[in-house]
Amino acid sequence: MSSQSKPRVLLTRAEIEAKVDELAAAIRRDYLGRHPILICVLKGAFVFAADLVRRLNFPLEVEFVQLSSYGEGRESSGKIKVEQSLRSPIKGRDVLVIEDIVDTGTTISFLLGYLRKRKPVSLKLCALTDKLSRRQVPVTIDYLGFTVPDKFLVGYGLDLDENFRYLPDICVLEDNVR
Ligand code: 5GP
Ligand code: MG
């Protein structure tokens, strides 16, 4: 369970890059001319969001929200708090949420509900990874990168107690125990 665990590559930077290209192409097709607001869920999605927006060469805005659910370690506390809320209104706007990973679905369904109350004209979700086997709350992922195994992942923005976010690949920690 420690930050000294050795990361093993699950998805290489090349695989991620190709997938981000694909996702960006789909998003470009759907959102061109609509001036959407992309909402990056901090902190984990910041690397993915940064790579994605640079492939969307059309007018859009970027916002950030920060939620807390996991706290320290690998298990979610189940209690979600908005640590940093939106800085601008989303009423009447096309909103696309950018998330790193959907696990039980608790966090993202809470956020989607929170955003829906603010009356966007459309609300969609783009997630780089999906731990589908762990789902407890149903979630529709409109743009999905990879379905991943039930392992604790780090790298490409994902952390374990704030470590490993800098890794360019998505990795599994070797002594993976729950
Ligand atoms: P959920 O509420 O869907 O169970 O959890 C979603 C959040 O938990 C994600 O946004 C992410 O911050 C965190 N999370 C879930 N699985 C992993 C994982 O394998 N690695 C890391 N670093 N974070 C995870
Ligand atoms: Mg986290």
Side-chain angles (χ1 to χ4, degrees):
M1 279 282 197
S2 78
S3 305
Q4 277 132 42
S5 319
K6 207 168 168 309
R8 173 175 59 78
V9 176
L10 177 72
L11 299 165
T12 66
R13 63 200 82 181
E15 287 169 322
I16 297 168
E17 201 179 305
K19 189 61 79 175
V20 177
D21 276 342
E22 257 177 53
L23 293 171
I27 293 168
R28 272 202 308 269
R29 263 197 314 274
D30 297 350
Y31 285 89
L32 188 68
R34 289 166 63 185
H35 202 125
I37 302 183
L38 269 55
I39 299 182
C40 169
V41 186
L42 293 172
K43 295 179 186 173
F46 83 105
V47 176
F48 174 41
D51 279 349
L52 188 67
V53 293
R54 282 178 289 176
R55 289 165 166 89
L56 302 176
N57 48 349
F58 62 83
L60 56 85
E61 289 166 43
V62 181
E63 285 287 330
F64 298 91
V65 292
Q66 185 165 10
L67 305 170
S68 60
S69 64
Y70 258 54
E72 290 184 4
R74 303 182 186 196
E75 286 293 328
S76 175
S77 68
K79 286 193 215 98
I80 296 142
K81 227 177 91 190
V82 180
E83 302 280 359
Q84 180 189 312
S85 189
L86 290 170
R87 299 286 156 93
S88 57
I90 59 169
K91 191 170 179 205
R93 301 293 302 271
D94 289 300
V95 171
L96 179 61
V97 175
I98 311 297
E99 179 60 301
D100 51 2
I101 186 160
V102 181
D103 185 14
T104 64
T106 315
T107 307
I108 202 65
S109 62
F110 170 87
L111 178 65
L112 293 172
Y114 173 91
L115 296 174
R116 208 169 281 122
K117 278 192 225 139
R118 285 159 177 76
K119 305 262 186 281
V121 71
S122 73
L123 180 60
K124 284 190 176 186
L125 173 62
C126 173
L128 182 62
T129 61
D130 182 12
K131 261 191 220 173
L132 189 55
S133 64
R134 297 249 310 157
R135 192 74 88 256
Q136 289 172 17
V137 182
V139 175
T140 302
I141 303 176
D142 302 284
Y143 305 93
L144 172 64
F146 304 95
T147 300
V148 291
D150 180 10
K151 298 270 164 65
F152 194 81
L153 307 182
V154 294
Y156 199 69
L158 290 160
D159 75 307
L160 173 60
D161 294 343
E162 299 303 327
N163 290 304
F164 303 118
R165 292 195 199 275
Y166 58 88
L167 294 174
D169 310 301
I170 292 181
C171 302
V172 174
L173 293 181
E174 284 294 2
D175 68 345
N176 187 35
V177 282
R178 277 194 181 276

